[in-house]
Amino acid sequence: MRKALLSIAAGLCAAGIVAGAAMAADMKPDDSLKYRQGLFKALAWQLGPVVGMAKGEVPFNNEQLALRASNMNAISKMLAEGFPKGSADGEIAGSKAKPEIWISAADFEAKLMALQTATAALAADAGKLSQGDLGKHVAAIGGSCKGCHDSYRNR
Ligand code: HEC
């Protein structure tokens, strides 16, 4: 079994399918901007219907909620590697990432962790929620976005 898995992995490597994963550890600063902007856009897209449900503008649906929550949680885990050193506003074109991200790295990580925790909490609760309960989750998730943007994103 193990041997079979190894040979599958070797096959994928040869095909270049896992090249992305192998390279992620040293993502180039120039490549990281599109990577993280794409993730942030997807994050905002996934949050949209959740906010809509909290406001009563989108029909409340626990399955959708569970899906959106787990998608956002997955994205939050993918974001950390999108901030290699040398990719701040001023170092690469088009970024709004403040250099403080790399100066206060532990605090930046904590702010990213707040997003992970808030989206995990929604994922854990989804299925048992009613529309009235959603507001506090939206506030926690939205608060984690704002908490990081206020400190680490240029306008
Ligand atoms: C840990 C910090 C952090 C958290 C948490 C965070 N953001 Fe951001 N966000 C940033 C930074 C830094 C940028 C600027 C990236 C750049 O331009 O290099 C950004 C940029 C963005 C952008 C612009 C992307 C683009 O195309 O330029 C959007 C949209 C966005 N964030 C949405 C969100 C939403 C929605 C949440 C919460 C669900 C969130 N962010 C949480 C740090 C964060």
Side-chain angles (χ1 to χ4, degrees):
M1 183 64 189
R2 212 180 138 175
K3 223 172 171 187
L5 283 176
L6 282 176
S7 79
I8 290 168
L12 290 174
C13 280
I17 292 170
V18 294
M23 279 159 39
D26 47 5
M27 188 182 288
K28 291 194 186 71
D30 282 330
D31 297 335
S32 68
L33 181 64
K34 281 197 172 145
Y35 175 81
R36 68 199 182 212
Q37 283 180 335
L39 288 178
F40 282 125
K41 283 196 177 117
L43 192 59
W45 177 265
Q46 295 295 320
L47 182 59
V50 178
V51 174
M53 281 186 227
K55 287 182 174 167
E57 293 168 1
V58 171
F60 186 81
N61 177 323
N62 259 307
E63 268 173 36
Q64 273 293 310
L65 210 51
L67 176 68
R68 302 305 175 185
S70 76
N71 286 347
M72 287 191 286
N73 187 254
I75 294 168
S76 72
K77 289 175 183 157
M78 293 161 76
L79 272 167
E81 65 187 327
F83 288 89
K85 281 201 180 100
S87 65
D89 184 1
E91 293 176 311
I92 56 169
S95 174
K96 292 185 174 173
K98 287 189 182 174
E100 281 76 11
I101 290 171
W102 294 270
I103 297 164
S104 314
D107 183 61
F108 181 74
E109 268 172 44
K111 293 201 158 42
L112 194 52
M113 198 53 74
L115 172 64
Q116 283 182 26
T117 306
T119 52
L122 176 58
D125 272 9
K128 309 172 258 186
L129 289 174
S130 57
Q131 202 246 344
D133 305 322
L134 202 46
K136 65 175 196 294
H137 282 287
V138 167
I141 296 172
S144 76
C145 315
K146 187 178 183 317
C148 190
H149 291 164
D150 284 353
S151 305
Y152 296 113
R153 185 175 72 165
N154 283 326
R155 285 165 189 279

